[in-house]
Amino acid sequence: MAEDGEEKLLATVQHIVQTLGSSDTMTEDILKVFSNYDGRLSLDKLYAARAAAVAATDGGSGGGGEHSMQASPTLPPPPAAVMSGTSGRPPPVTSMERTVRTLDRQISQFVAMDGLIWADSADADAFLEAVDDLIGTVQELDAAGTNRVLLDRADELLSRCMSRLEDEFRALIERPDDAAPLAPGGFGSDGSDEEDYGGGDGYGDEPIPIAKPVTDYDLVIDALSPGSVANVHQIARRMVDAGFGRECAEAYAAARRGFVDESVARLGVRPRTAEEIHASSWEELEFDIARWIPAFNMVFRILIPSERRLCDRVFDGLAPFGDLAFVAAVRTQALQLISFADAISSSSRAPDRLFRVVDMYEAVRDLLPDLDPVFSDPYSAALRAEVTAVCNTLGSSIKGIFMELENLIRRDPARVAAPGGGIHPITRYVMNYLRAACGSRQTLEEVMEGDFGGVGGAAVAVDPDRPTSSLAVHIAWIMDVLHKNLDAKSKIYRDPSLACIFLMNNGKYIIQKANDSELGVLLGDEWIKQMTNRVRRWSVDYQRTAWGKVTTVLQTGGPGVGALPAKAMMQKLRMFNTYFQEIYEEQSEWVIADDQLRVDVRAAVEDAVMPAYAALIHRLKTSPDTGRDLYIQYTPEDVDARIQHLFEGAAK
């Protein structure tokens, strides 16, 4: 009885399916409903009953007559059924075929949705569940390798599924608020925060907001909320499992690249070719460098590490696709910043560019140790190498600038003399330049030693008692070049004594600038001592050439035997008056810039002139032969007063 009841039940189901199953999809749905309703109506039994009915119909079609029992309506074959065998009957539908059809129906509904699937968490969960089933089914079919047609159909469905997942993936990254309403008071909710806008940056019709400077680089940008990260991670895992890892990485990079580009634009850095940079004025480049340094730090210390952190969370456990996505997202802007530094290092090496290039070098050098955890994978190693390379080129540029300083000194023409034997502009320029350069002594020591970026690792030791370092030797060489240049310029003066004043002024200035800075440490005490002795020698040469004839004319011999007659002493006095007047008129226009040096030179002149002149006047006054013919144009006090007015130049 039970068997008869089950047969009648199966026949009834077949009749219902025959009547209502107007399409393959509807037939499949009806079968599934009945199979879920009653355990006796499993899909296997239903399809077995269909096969038996087909066989009965074929066997009785030859002579049943009018008394033959009409066969129960047969179930139609599934859409993917393949006719096989010589009888032309469809084979039984396998469970794998039914699974693919069911997944096709489910996934097609999601793929056809207009809005974001992830706008509804229930839809997102259902879609991911269907995706997991489809991936598993494809893997099973591929492993079995017995139904290529069904595998192709499943692969096509998987491709459509991945395409929609990619769209959802990008939307969740680019517009995370589309999947979750913006919380009150969130970014941009009231428009109360004002931003500074830089005009004329050439980024389109709308001005780009320029970010304010940041000094604390210990920051992390959380571009996505934890919930959004979890969502995109779930999508990324499915795409990687399905063999679409590279497409997922490319989609991530495309979605994040816009954010990175806009962030760099907000820092005021505009892309420029090497040709444009080389053709720009130094004033314009200084402005660009002033923006580049903080931008470089913000990008490599905040933006790129934040992108690495986000990428690692999205692609957690999905290596190497996270590394590929990270490099693709940040590479363009990173290389843009690097290329600017590279173009600066390969442009003109005029000495006045040293300090800005040193600033750039220090920014890159100080960054190198922090790049290791960010660019630790093989895919970003090339980007790390680019940063190291530009550090080296900036270091080479610094060395080249120092060499150009030597050439500038050599080329400075010996044509125009410094007025009054004063300090020459080339002396002021070189000494102030080197003094300022020594403010970056640690960096320059490192560069001259050829240890580019060494401070990032083992710092170059700076020994204050080691004037034989590469930098010290280089600066001493520059000083030697300067000395030779000044010596050539001193020969412009027709008066040898004025040439001595010129050399004294410049030598004293060099000593002063060296003593009150680290320049003196680099040059060393011995060098300073030698330079001081030179100044003394020039002072002695000045006394000899300027006052030699005066001191000679004042020599009168002692009283008694061999003493000059009064008439001869009167002649010497007249010669002294002439010489002294000439010297005073001429040398009162000369200049000794250093106060102490001026005092010392005047004192030396006094010591050489005043005693002899006072003795001459005294002898003339006490000589009975002079009488009323004695005329004293300059009293000793007058001579001393005029000596004290020498070397004041225009300040007289």
Side-chain angles (χ1 to χ4, degrees):
M1 292 292 294
E3 293 179 358
D4 291 343
E6 185 174 329
E7 290 179 358
K8 290 180 180 180
L9 181 59
L10 291 171
T12 302
V13 170
Q14 292 184 62
H15 180 69
I16 293 173
V17 171
Q18 182 71 21
T19 304
L20 300 179
S22 59
S23 66
D24 292 341
T25 300
M26 186 175 292
T27 298
E28 194 74 19
D29 289 342
I30 295 172
L31 289 175
K32 192 168 185 179
V33 169
F34 278 114
S35 66
N36 292 332
Y37 178 76
D38 194 318
R40 296 173 296 173
L41 301 176
S42 66
L43 289 174
D44 291 338
K45 287 183 179 181
L46 290 173
Y47 282 108
R50 181 193 66 173
V54 171
T57 302
D58 292 343
S61 61
E66 61 180 349
H67 298 289
S68 299
M69 183 177 290
Q70 183 178 358
S72 299
T74 60
L75 294 175
V82 179
M83 302 301 291
S84 62
T86 57
S87 63
R89 291 174 293 164
V93 177
T94 65
S95 60
M96 195 67 74
E97 290 176 316
R98 291 193 298 272
T99 299
V100 172
R101 289 182 192 172
T102 302
L103 291 173
D104 190 352
R105 184 173 60 257
Q106 293 175 347
I107 290 173
S108 296
Q109 293 174 353
F110 288 112
V111 170
M113 289 179 63
D114 292 332
L116 274 179
I117 298 174
W118 261 258
D120 188 312
S121 60
D123 286 344
D125 292 341
F127 186 40
L128 288 178
E129 183 178 355
V131 171
D132 289 337
D133 292 341
L134 178 59
I135 292 173
T137 300
V138 170
Q139 292 173 348
E140 288 184 35
L141 287 170
D142 188 53
T146 57
N147 194 338
R148 189 65 197 177
V149 174
L150 187 60
L151 177 60
D152 290 343
R153 178 182 173 189
D155 279 337
E156 188 275 333
L157 177 60
L158 185 63
S159 296
R160 289 193 288 125
C161 181
M162 292 298 113
S163 178
R164 181 55 191 253
L165 272 180
E166 183 178 325
D167 292 340
E168 296 282 325
F169 184 74
R170 290 189 61 167
L172 287 174
I173 295 174
E174 294 175 343
R175 305 184 304 278
D177 293 337
D178 289 356
L182 183 65
F187 178 79
S189 58
D190 57 5
S192 59
D193 293 334
E194 296 182 358
E195 297 185 74
D196 296 329
Y197 287 85
D201 283 309
Y203 289 107
D205 296 334
E206 295 296 328
I208 298 295
I210 302 301
K212 296 180 179 179
V214 172
T215 56
D216 181 10
Y217 296 110
D218 189 18
L219 300 172
V220 175
I221 301 173
D222 282 323
L224 298 179
S225 66
S228 296
V229 171
N231 287 335
V232 293
H233 171 69
Q234 293 295 330
I235 295 176
R237 186 167 66 81
R238 268 69 176 192
M239 294 186 71
V240 171
D241 289 346
F244 287 76
R246 184 170 292 276
E247 289 80 358
C248 182
E250 292 173 355
Y252 176 90
R256 293 301 301 163
R257 197 177 294 122
F259 173 81
V260 174
D261 291 348
E262 182 178 352
S263 298
V264 175
R266 284 174 179 266
L267 298 175
V269 178
R270 55 195 177 103
R272 303 181 68 187
T273 65
E275 291 74 16
E276 291 174 335
I277 293 172
H278 294 163
S280 300
S281 67
W282 178 237
E283 291 74 16
E284 183 180 357
L285 291 179
E286 277 193 301
F287 177 80
D288 289 340
I289 291 172
R291 278 191 170 180
W292 182 90
I293 291 174
F296 180 83
N297 279 314
M298 290 187 69
V299 168
F300 280 91
R301 293 184 182 276
I302 298 178
L303 183 60
I304 289 180
S306 296
E307 287 299 311
R308 167 57 87 179
R309 178 173 179 267
L310 176 61
C311 204
D312 288 346
R313 292 166 66 197
V314 170
F315 291 92
D316 184 27
L318 303 176
F321 301 106
D323 299 330
L324 287 171
F326 165 70
V327 173
V330 304
R331 179 178 177 81
T332 299
Q333 289 300 333
L335 289 180
Q336 175 188 319
L337 289 167
I338 292 171
S339 64
F340 176 83
D342 190 61
I344 290 293
S345 64
S346 63
S347 61
S348 170
R349 294 186 174 180
D352 56 345
R353 300 192 174 199
L354 173 70
F355 306 101
R356 299 288 79 79
V357 176
V358 167
D359 291 342
M360 295 178 72
Y361 172 85
E362 290 176 342
V364 179
R365 176 204 64 193
D366 295 344
L367 172 73
L368 289 178
D370 298 332
L371 291 183
D372 292 335
V374 179
F375 298 132
S376 57
D377 61 276
Y379 300 96
S380 59
L383 202 53
R384 170 67 163 78
E386 292 280 358
V387 180
T388 303
V390 81
C391 183
N392 293 338
T393 58
L394 287 169
S396 298
S397 179
I398 292 171
K399 295 182 74 172
I401 289 173
F402 261 88
M403 295 179 64
E404 184 58 29
L405 177 62
E406 295 178 22
N407 295 331
L408 181 145
I409 299 171
R410 287 193 181 95
R411 291 194 301 263
D412 192 63
R415 297 174 184 171
V416 180
I423 301 169
H424 197 277
I426 191 65
T427 307
R428 294 185 186 275
Y429 177 81
V430 172
M431 296 310 298
N432 287 316
Y433 184 95
L434 293 177
R435 189 167 178 266
C438 285
S440 303
R441 178 185 171 190
Q442 178 73 64
T443 298
L444 295 176
E445 289 274 11
E446 170 189 315
V447 168
M448 294 303 172
E449 294 289 344
D451 184 21
F452 301 133
V455 172
V460 174
V462 177
D463 185 355
D465 299 322
R466 186 171 71 100
T468 56
S469 68
S470 296
L471 177 61
V473 171
H474 205 96
I475 289 180
W477 177 254
I478 291 175
M479 298 308 302
D480 186 62
V481 173
L482 176 62
H483 172 68
K484 291 178 180 177
N485 182 272
L486 293 174
D487 189 62
K489 286 179 168 59
S490 69
K491 293 178 171 55
I492 301 175
Y493 298 101
R494 290 177 293 180
D495 189 335
S497 57
L498 182 55
C500 293
I501 294 292
F502 170 78
L503 292 172
M504 272 194 292
N505 274 318
N506 287 270
K508 188 65 175 180
Y509 185 82
I510 290 171
I511 294 172
Q512 286 177 335
K513 289 298 180 180
N515 277 334
D516 64 355
S517 69
E518 290 203 32
L519 186 57
V521 178
L522 286 168
L523 291 170
D525 293 338
E526 185 62 29
W527 189 94
I528 298 292
K529 184 178 179 180
Q530 291 176 2
M531 196 67 199
T532 303
N533 289 335
R534 283 181 179 176
V535 173
R536 282 201 199 97
R537 188 174 69 250
W538 290 326
S539 178
V540 171
D541 291 344
Y542 162 76
Q543 300 290 339
R544 177 176 53 80
T545 56
W547 296 93
K549 61 182 180 180
V550 173
T551 56
T552 299
V553 82
L554 290 177
Q555 294 175 2
T556 61
V561 180
L564 290 176
K567 186 175 181 180
M569 288 191 294
M570 289 290 293
Q571 179 64 26
K572 283 181 174 290
L573 179 61
R574 286 191 291 270
M575 292 174 64
F576 172 83
N577 292 340
T578 302
Y579 293 158
F580 185 75
Q581 182 67 25
E582 291 175 354
I583 291 174
Y584 175 72
E585 290 179 354
E586 187 174 35
Q587 295 192 18
S588 61
E589 299 295 327
W590 295 359
V591 61
I592 294 180
D594 181 71
D595 293 339
Q596 187 58 50
L597 179 61
R598 185 167 59 250
V599 169
D600 292 343
V601 173
R602 286 172 177 172
V605 172
E606 281 185 290
D607 292 341
V609 174
M610 290 306 300
Y613 183 71
L616 174 63
I617 296 300
H618 176 72
R619 291 188 62 185
L620 286 173
K621 284 184 176 181
T622 58
S623 174
D625 298 331
T626 55
R628 297 180 179 179
D629 294 334
L630 179 62
Y631 171 71
I632 300 175
Q633 183 176 353
Y634 299 109
T635 67
E637 292 74 15
D638 293 335
V639 172
D640 184 66
R642 281 167 170 74
I643 290 175
Q644 298 307 315
H645 284 89
L646 296 177
F647 317 121
E648 293 184 351
K652 179 187 174 188

